[in-house]
């Protein structure tokens, strides 16, 4: 691991040295062009920004009626040569009004022209083209949408709550604040979907950085790539990618702070401040915390304790009746600090940032993987420290060559404590057991070391051609230490994995009307860890294996009309097993070191329409999804001795996914937005025989268990601008979520009994916020699940009922 880290830092150091010797800044480049002017031509350069001052990347810039033209880079800059004369300079980009400006260019002159282009659409909330950063995703050939988080800034939502508003996305949680969370996207969930922050993979960062623990204010926007994923992410996702784009403010000084309080003694706070100086030096700090007792009510089958006169206890579970009880061992809190320090807009670096992240968490464990199991003392705690470096430079060494390099090291330590002698039920009653351990006696610490490095190189050849190379390396090492008297033999063997993914792509973009990308990926993984020698699991040995695979694909988009866009993509994709699937979490999740990678043929077809009619705006989108997956990694529940259970992972033959999602949104001027999403996604068992046998599989053709297949959401937002005072805005939002009933066991068991089914659910939320002085001071109030619906997601684990929250937020900046 030291060798890899040293290599990365030597690479970035060499880059700085070479670049510093060869470049003298933006102005120096223009001076050199002037001295080397071609055949008496003049040099035209400048920057294009949107109406909110966001750089307009990949916009077409040309002189009307001539063959002279170019495309802006990712920072909105352009440059080209042309003879002296009078011209009309034209700028066009999808989603923006075409802009023209008259320019007069002298002989051998350096002419700077800066322009601003205006969006064609007003705000359309979740799927609206609200800035050029979002429209760049829309122009992509990949099936991608982008979510602007601005409308959620005054809410108490987390990033995962906001994501639930995107088409085909479903948030699944096992409880309240800090509980296990999975995102479901087009029939795939959990580990099929990879999460990135600013393009950096978030593997092994700890539970404090789960999307349901990060406040929505942390992000400027969220990009969602569904199914086929661009090579630039260098990932092995099959379901898709969520990329969190953080706020890269260029204000000379800013501060954003908020605090909220709500039901179940829930406290959340967030602060973000920073400054960028004229010399390019910049710093930024983010800090947030979450706390909740999570003491909401659930409906449960209670284990009844009968205390006998002789001191013994007899028990039984009342399966006929459900009783409304209160959770009592579910307190959660986490704290995180993220600091960044560096420089921007230098000749040798567009952005060089050194960062550190520290987080701490404490979590009481109320239930097992099913709600019937109750714990009264079981808990875990941990911390994580992660230094990082980020380097970005356009036109490195030569024009058109862009480099992005990131690296981080994460030390994460988690301690699981299960030493109680008491057995609890849902009433909080308890009796003393003969041996300690509510699940399995342990007091152990897992020390996880993660190294992550990414390198992305883009080369733009002319206007139409772009080549991209990406490599991602991940190294993981876990060592378990028991704080009990007896050291388990399994704990003495380290758990290790090394993952390398390389990708190469080519994009052809001859016009704004269509573009095409083709790509290939190489996957390699090394795994080492303990494996039992026999079924008694009394002796463990260290086992190792290597797996390698090749993937490939293509994606294209075409604008049938300026407002009508079609996208089609295909990928032969592989997903390497995750740390949890191979090694578990040392508690309620049991891994399998021999589990195999998934492989899948993925097809996505998407059509979208975006049009503005005066003060009216309309957005419509429809997508079709097909997946044919082999060696599908399935999470199951396994019963252990003593009435305990745990989650396990197995490769399950063949699984087929077919489905579609629809999205529609309408906006009127700047005071109404209404829209919603509908998803139908069938994930079917296509394994004809039972795994490892020739016996017919009775579940062939049935839906896969514990996978929602039909869900929808809808929202209405009203805005009252300049209410009581100019610059003040009152916002009222109503939204709802519908989930159709599904079985959390195989349909051949669960279809005939409500005992194995998650019921139909229809929940409603309402929020009211008042923003003063153009967003400087903000107050908001929310009621979630105001009809007090019984909500479930995973294996009958019930979520919170009706809850109220209030929030205050202030923002200062210049």
């Amino acid at each position: 691991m030291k060798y890899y880290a040293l290599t990365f830092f030597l690479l970035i150091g060499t880059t700085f040295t070479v670049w510093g010797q060869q470049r003298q800044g933006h102005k120096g480049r223009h001076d050199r062009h002037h001295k080397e002017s071609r055949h008496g031509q003049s040099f035209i350069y400048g920057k294009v920004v949107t109406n909110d001052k966001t750089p307009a990347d990949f916009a077409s810039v040309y002189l009307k009626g001539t063959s002279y033209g170019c495309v802006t880079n990712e920072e909105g800059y352009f440059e080209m040569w042309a003879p002296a004369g009078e011209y009309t300079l034209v700028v066009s980009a999808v989603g923006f009004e075409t802009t023209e400006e008259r320019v007069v260019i002298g002989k051998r002159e350096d002419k700077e022209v800066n322009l601003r282009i205006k969006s064609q659409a007003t705000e359309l909330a979740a799927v609206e083209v609200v800035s050029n950063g979002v429209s760049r995703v829309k122009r992509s050939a990949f099936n991608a949408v982008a979510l602007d988080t601005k409308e959620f800034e005054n809410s108490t939502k987390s990033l995962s709550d906001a994501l639930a508003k995107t088409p085909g996305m479903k948030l699944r949680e096992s409880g309240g604040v800090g509980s296990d969370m999975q995102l479901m996207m087009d029939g795939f969930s959990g580990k099929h979907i990879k999460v990135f922050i600013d393009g950096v993979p978030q593997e092994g960062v700890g539970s404090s950085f789960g999307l349901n623990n990060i406040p929505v204010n942390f992000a400027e926007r969220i990009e969602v790539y569904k199914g086929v994923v661009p090579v630039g992410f260098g990932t092995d996702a099959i379901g898709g990618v969520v990329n969190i784009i953080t706020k890269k403010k260029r204000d000379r000084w800013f501060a954003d702070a908020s605090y909220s309080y709500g039901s179940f003694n829930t406290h959340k706070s967030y602060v973000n401040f920073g400054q960028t100086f004229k010399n390019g030096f910049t710093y930024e700090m983010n800090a947030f915390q979450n706390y909740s007792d999570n003491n909401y009510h659930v409906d449960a089958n209670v284990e009844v304790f009968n205390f006998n006169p002789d001191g013994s206890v007899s028990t039984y579970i009342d399966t006929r009746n459900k009783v409304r009880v209160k959770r009592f061992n579910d307190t959660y809190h986490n704290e995180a600090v993220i600091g960044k320090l560096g420089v921007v807009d230098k000749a040798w670096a567009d952005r060089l940032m050194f960062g550190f992240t520290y987080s701490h968490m404490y979590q009481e464990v109320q239930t097992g993987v099913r709600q019937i199991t109750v714990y009264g003392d079981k808990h875990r705690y941990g911390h994580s420290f992660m230094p990082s470096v980020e380097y970005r430079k356009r036109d490195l060494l030569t024009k058109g060559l862009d480099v992005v390099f990131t690296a981080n090291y994460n030390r994460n330590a988690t301690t699981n404590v299960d030493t109680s002698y008491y057995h609890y039920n849902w009433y909080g009653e308890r009796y003393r057991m003969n041996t300690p351990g509510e699940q399995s006696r342990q007091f152990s610490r897992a020390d996880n070391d993660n190294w992550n490095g990414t390198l992305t190189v883009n080369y733009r050849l002319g206007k139409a051609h772009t080549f991209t190379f990406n490599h991602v390396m991940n190294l993981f090492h876990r060592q378990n230490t028991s704080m009990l008297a007896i050291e388990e033999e399994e704990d003495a063997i380290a758990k290790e994995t090394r993952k390398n993914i390389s990708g190469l792509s080519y994009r052809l973009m001859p016009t704004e009307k269509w573009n095409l990308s083709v790509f290939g990926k190489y996957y390699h993984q090394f795994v080492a860890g303990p494996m039992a020698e026999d079924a008694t699991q009394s002796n463990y040995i260290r086992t190792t294996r290597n797996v390698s695979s090749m993937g490939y694909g293509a994606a294209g988009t075409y604008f049938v009309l300026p407002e009508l866009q079609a996208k089609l993509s295909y990928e032969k994709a592989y997903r390497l097993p995750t740390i949890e699937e191979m090694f578990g979490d040392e508690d309620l999740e049991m891994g399998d070191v021999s589990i195999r990678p998934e492989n899948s043929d993925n097809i996505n077809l998407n059509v979208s329409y975006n049009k503005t009619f005066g003060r009216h705006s309309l957005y419509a989108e429809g997508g079709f999804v097909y997946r044919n997956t082999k060696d599908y990694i399935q999470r199951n529940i396994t019963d252990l001795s003593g009435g305990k259970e745990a989650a396990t992972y197995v490769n399950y033959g063949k699984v087929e996914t077919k489905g579609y999602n629809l999205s529609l949104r309408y906006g009127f001027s700047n005071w109404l937005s209404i829209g919603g999403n509908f998803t139908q996604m069938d994930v079917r068992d296509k394994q004809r025989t039972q795994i490892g046998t020739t016996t017919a599989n009775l579940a062939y053709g049935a839906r896969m268990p514990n996978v929602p297949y039909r869900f929808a959401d809808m929202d209405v937002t009203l805005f009252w601008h300049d209410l009581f005072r100019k610059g003040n805005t009152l916002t009222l939002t109503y939204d709802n979520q519908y989930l159709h009933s599904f079985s959390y066991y195989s349909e051949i068991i669960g279809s005939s009994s409500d005992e194995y089914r998650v019921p139909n659910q229809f929940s409603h939320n309402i929020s009211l916020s008042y923003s003063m002085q153009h967003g400087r001071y903000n107050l908001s109030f929310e009621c979630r699940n105001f009809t007090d619906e019984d909500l479930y997601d995973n294996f009958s684990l019930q979520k919170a009922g009706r809850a109220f929250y209030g929030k205050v937020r202030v923002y200062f900046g210049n």
Side-chain angles (χ1 to χ4, degrees):
M1 289 188 290
K2 293 180 179 179
Y3 167 76
Y4 286 109
L6 181 61
T7 301
F8 275 134
F9 285 105
L10 286 175
L11 172 63
I12 197 170
T14 305
T15 301
F16 295 156
T17 304
V18 173
W19 185 242
Q21 293 173 348
Q22 295 197 12
R23 302 290 284 201
Q24 298 299 320
H26 198 68
K27 184 176 182 301
R29 182 170 72 246
H30 294 157
D31 291 342
R32 183 169 67 253
H33 279 309
H34 179 75
K35 294 175 183 178
E36 300 171 358
S37 61
R38 302 183 301 189
H39 308 294
Q41 290 184 328
S42 298
F43 182 64
I44 311 167
Y45 68 96
K47 186 175 184 178
V48 180
V49 298
T50 66
N51 46 3
D52 63 354
K53 298 183 180 180
T54 303
D57 56 348
F58 301 109
S60 295
V61 183
Y62 59 94
L63 300 179
K64 196 172 184 178
T66 75
S67 59
Y68 302 107
C70 61
V71 175
T72 60
N73 63 23
E74 290 181 356
E75 295 175 350
Y77 289 107
F78 71 92
E79 52 188 45
M80 61 181 166
W81 295 92
E86 294 186 10
Y87 299 97
T88 298
L89 185 68
V90 181
V91 180
S92 67
V94 175
F96 294 87
E97 297 178 0
T98 299
T99 301
E100 298 184 358
E101 182 166 319
R102 194 73 174 170
V103 294
V104 179
I105 307 171
K107 189 175 182 180
R108 295 192 178 185
E109 179 187 4
D110 278 8
K111 183 73 173 183
E112 182 176 5
V113 183
N114 298 313
L115 300 102
R116 181 176 295 184
I117 58 177
K118 184 182 297 184
S119 173
Q120 287 181 332
T122 56
E123 267 192 36
L124 291 179
V127 292
E128 160 41 351
V129 181
V130 293
S131 72
N132 193 61
V134 173
S135 68
R136 176 179 59 81
V137 178
K138 299 297 293 180
R139 288 199 300 272
S140 165
F142 297 90
N143 185 13
V145 295
L147 176 68
D148 184 7
T149 61
K150 185 175 181 178
E151 66 166 299
F152 303 115
E153 286 181 335
N154 294 325
S155 73
T156 61
K157 293 182 184 294
S158 64
L159 288 177
S160 60
D161 293 325
L163 271 168
K165 290 299 179 184
T166 57
M169 187 75 76
K170 174 77 173 67
L171 170 64
R172 307 184 69 189
E173 292 182 292
S174 60
V177 176
S179 63
D180 291 338
M181 182 276 302
Q182 291 184 344
L183 289 172
M184 180 175 176
M185 184 191 302
D186 290 345
F188 281 86
S189 62
K191 299 167 181 63
H192 295 101
I193 302 166
K194 302 295 184 179
V195 177
F196 291 73
I197 296 181
D198 292 327
V200 178
Q202 299 298 292
E203 294 192 41
V205 295
S207 64
S208 288
F209 281 86
L211 291 182
N212 58 337
N213 289 326
I214 303 178
V216 73
N217 304 62
F218 182 75
E220 179 176 73
R221 71 178 187 273
I222 308 172
E223 297 176 353
V224 180
Y225 292 83
K226 303 163 73 176
V228 181
V229 176
V231 159
F233 286 108
T235 186
D236 55 337
I238 284 182
V241 157
V242 172
N243 188 28
I244 309 300
I245 307 298
T246 61
K247 298 179 179 181
K248 299 177 179 61
K249 297 180 182 295
R250 292 300 180 88
D251 307 85
R252 288 192 298 170
W253 176 84
F254 69 91
D256 188 359
S258 64
Y259 168 77
S260 69
Y261 173 76
S263 299
F264 321 120
N265 195 26
T266 300
H267 305 258
K268 296 184 178 184
S269 56
Y270 171 77
V271 62
N272 173 216
F273 63 90
Q275 190 171 8
T276 298
F277 296 88
K278 291 182 179 180
N279 63 2
F281 177 76
T282 184
Y283 72 91
E284 185 173 348
M285 291 289 292
N286 280 277
F288 61 87
Q289 64 81 218
N290 301 283
Y291 175 93
S292 182
D293 290 339
N294 286 322
N295 56 347
Y296 58 89
H297 287 85
V298 297
D299 302 310
N301 296 110
V302 177
E303 185 177 10
V304 179
F305 295 168
N306 292 316
F307 297 92
N308 302 315
D310 61 359
S312 64
V313 181
S314 58
T315 69
Y316 70 93
I317 297 176
D318 185 358
T319 58
R320 294 185 177 183
N321 302 300
K322 284 192 174 183
V323 180
R324 194 159 183 81
V325 293
K326 194 174 186 179
R327 298 171 73 97
F328 59 90
N329 184 52
D330 206 19
T331 296
Y332 176 86
H333 67 83
N334 76 303
E335 302 80 32
V337 178
I338 306 133
K340 292 183 179 181
L341 183 74
V343 294
V344 295
D345 297 334
K346 294 295 183 182
W348 41 271
D350 294 332
R351 180 177 173 87
L352 171 63
M353 300 295 290
F354 296 94
F356 74 89
T357 300
Y358 176 80
S359 65
H360 175 270
M361 74 89 182
Y362 170 84
Q363 182 178 26
E364 294 174 349
V365 182
Q366 177 70 88
T367 71
V369 291
R370 288 184 293 208
Q371 194 162 283
I372 199 169
T373 303
V374 184
Y375 303 128
D377 294 311
K378 185 175 170 60
H379 64 278
R380 62 174 67 105
Y381 57 87
H383 67 271
S384 174
F385 179 74
M386 182 172 67
S388 62
V389 62
E390 173 191 359
Y391 173 74
R392 298 174 182 268
K393 186 69 191 83
R394 293 187 59 82
D395 298 331
L396 178 66
L397 306 179
T398 184
K399 181 175 173 58
L401 183 65
D402 308 332
V403 172
V404 178
F405 166 78
T406 68
N408 64 65
Y409 164 71
N410 176 35
R411 178 61 181 263
N412 177 274
T414 301
T415 301
N416 288 295
V417 182
D418 186 5
T419 56
S420 175
Y421 272 89
Y422 291 97
H423 179 68
Y424 289 80
N425 66 7
W426 271 115
Y427 293 134
E429 300 171 336
R430 66 180 190 176
Y431 67 84
R432 186 177 176 85
M433 300 181 292
N434 294 326
T435 58
E438 295 181 84
Q439 166 76 10
S440 57
R441 179 175 180 250
Q442 66 168 321
F443 182 17
S444 62
R445 185 182 72 245
D447 293 310
N448 303 302
D449 294 289
N450 285 274
W451 292 87
N452 279 290
T454 68
L455 176 66
T456 303
V457 180
N458 282 293
Y459 182 64
R460 303 182 307 279
L461 184 62
K463 175 184 175 181
H465 311 280
T466 302
F467 297 88
T468 300
F469 170 78
N470 175 276
H471 182 77
V472 173
M473 179 195 70
N474 173 262
L475 308 178
F476 172 82
H477 178 276
R478 176 187 291 170
Q479 189 69 56
N480 293 333
T481 303
S482 173
M483 266 70 89
L484 299 174
I486 301 175
E487 180 75 19
E488 295 288 344
E489 181 178 356
E490 182 183 7
D491 291 343
I493 302 176
K495 299 172 181 179
E496 307 169 65
T497 180
R498 295 194 297 270
K499 182 167 68 174
N500 289 272
I501 302 174
S502 298
L504 181 65
S505 73
Y506 164 69
R507 185 183 73 172
L508 174 64
M509 188 176 179
T511 71
E512 287 283 331
K513 196 169 184 177
W514 68 274
N515 65 79
L516 173 69
S517 295
V518 294
F519 59 89
K521 293 181 181 179
Y522 173 73
Y523 309 83
H524 179 264
Q525 186 177 42
F526 166 81
V527 181
M531 176 176 283
E533 281 192 309
D534 51 45
T536 64
Q537 297 187 346
S538 59
N539 186 39
Y540 287 85
I541 59 173
R542 184 177 187 267
T543 182
T544 64
R545 64 186 176 90
N546 285 275
V547 293
S548 298
S549 303
M550 284 291 300
Y552 50 87
T557 184
Y558 180 74
F559 284 87
V560 183
L561 299 170
E563 305 86 4
L564 182 63
Q565 182 184 15
K567 297 183 179 185
L568 178 65
S569 56
Y570 164 80
E571 181 180 14
K572 178 65 174 180
Y574 288 84
R575 186 178 76 83
L576 304 174
T578 65
I579 294 165
E580 289 79 11
E581 290 165 339
M582 292 182 293
F583 306 133
D585 68 351
E586 311 302 332
D587 190 12
L588 300 176
E589 304 276 327
M590 299 174 61
D592 182 356
V593 71
S594 63
I595 202 163
R596 298 183 302 277
E598 294 177 316
N599 69 89
S600 181
D601 293 285
N602 298 342
I603 298 176
N604 294 275
L605 174 63
N606 180 271
V607 178
S608 61
Y609 180 81
N610 186 15
K611 181 68 174 178
T612 300
F613 309 88
R615 302 177 69 185
H616 304 272
S617 301
L618 179 66
Y619 182 90
E621 178 182 326
F624 169 77
V625 174
Y626 175 80
R627 309 271 189 275
N628 182 16
T629 308
K630 301 177 181 64
D631 282 331
Y632 178 89
I633 299 177
Q634 184 181 25
R635 182 178 183 267
N636 293 325
I637 303 300
T638 297
D639 292 318
L640 306 176
S641 60
K644 311 295 175 60
E645 72 275 322
T648 60
Y649 296 92
V650 297
N651 287 112
Y652 189 85
K654 299 178 182 179
V655 173
E656 183 181 69
T657 302
K658 292 179 182 178
Y660 63 91
N661 50 67
L662 304 171
S663 180
L664 183 65
R665 186 161 294 277
Y666 165 77
F668 178 72
S669 187
N670 61 351
W671 68 270
L672 170 67
S673 175
I674 180 170
N677 307 294
F678 175 83
T679 298
Q680 172 77 31
M681 204 65 56
D682 287 337
V683 185
R684 299 279 180 172
D685 185 340
K686 290 297 180 179
Q687 180 68 27
R688 292 186 177 276
T689 59
Q690 297 180 22
I691 301 296
T693 72
T694 58
T695 305
N697 175 22
L698 297 179
Y700 177 79
R703 289 190 178 94
M704 295 297 290
N706 201 36
V707 179
Y709 62 89
R710 183 181 302 148
F711 48 90
D713 65 86
M714 175 262 188
D715 61 87
V716 181
T717 302
L718 296 171
F719 305 90
W720 283 269
H721 296 278
D722 300 326
L723 182 65
F724 302 129
R725 183 177 179 180
K726 188 175 179 59
N728 295 3
T729 302
L730 181 70
T731 304
L732 175 65
T733 299
Y734 160 78
D735 67 272
N736 59 50
Q737 293 85 38
Y738 170 77
L739 176 65
H740 191 70
S741 175
F742 65 93
S743 173
Y744 55 83
Y745 287 116
S746 175
E747 283 189 328
I748 60 173
I749 301 174
S751 60
S752 60
S753 173
D754 291 340
E755 183 181 351
Y756 301 109
R757 297 189 67 81
V758 171
N760 291 333
Q761 301 168 41
F762 192 27
S763 62
H764 310 264
N765 312 298
I766 192 166
S767 65
L768 182 71
S769 67
Y770 187 59
S771 177
M772 296 166 281
Q773 297 185 24
H774 300 283
R776 173 162 291 187
Y777 306 104
N778 307 271
L779 299 172
S780 62
F781 173 80
E782 299 176 47
C783 180
R784 298 190 184 182
N785 190 11
F786 63 75
T787 57
D788 203 23
E789 183 85 358
D790 289 340
L791 304 178
Y792 303 86
D793 268 336
N794 296 293
F795 290 101
S796 76
L797 294 175
Q798 191 170 347
K799 300 191 293 184
R802 184 186 298 114
F804 299 92
Y805 301 95
K807 179 177 179 179
V808 58
R809 172 176 171 257
V810 295
Y811 175 82
F812 297 95
N814 53 22

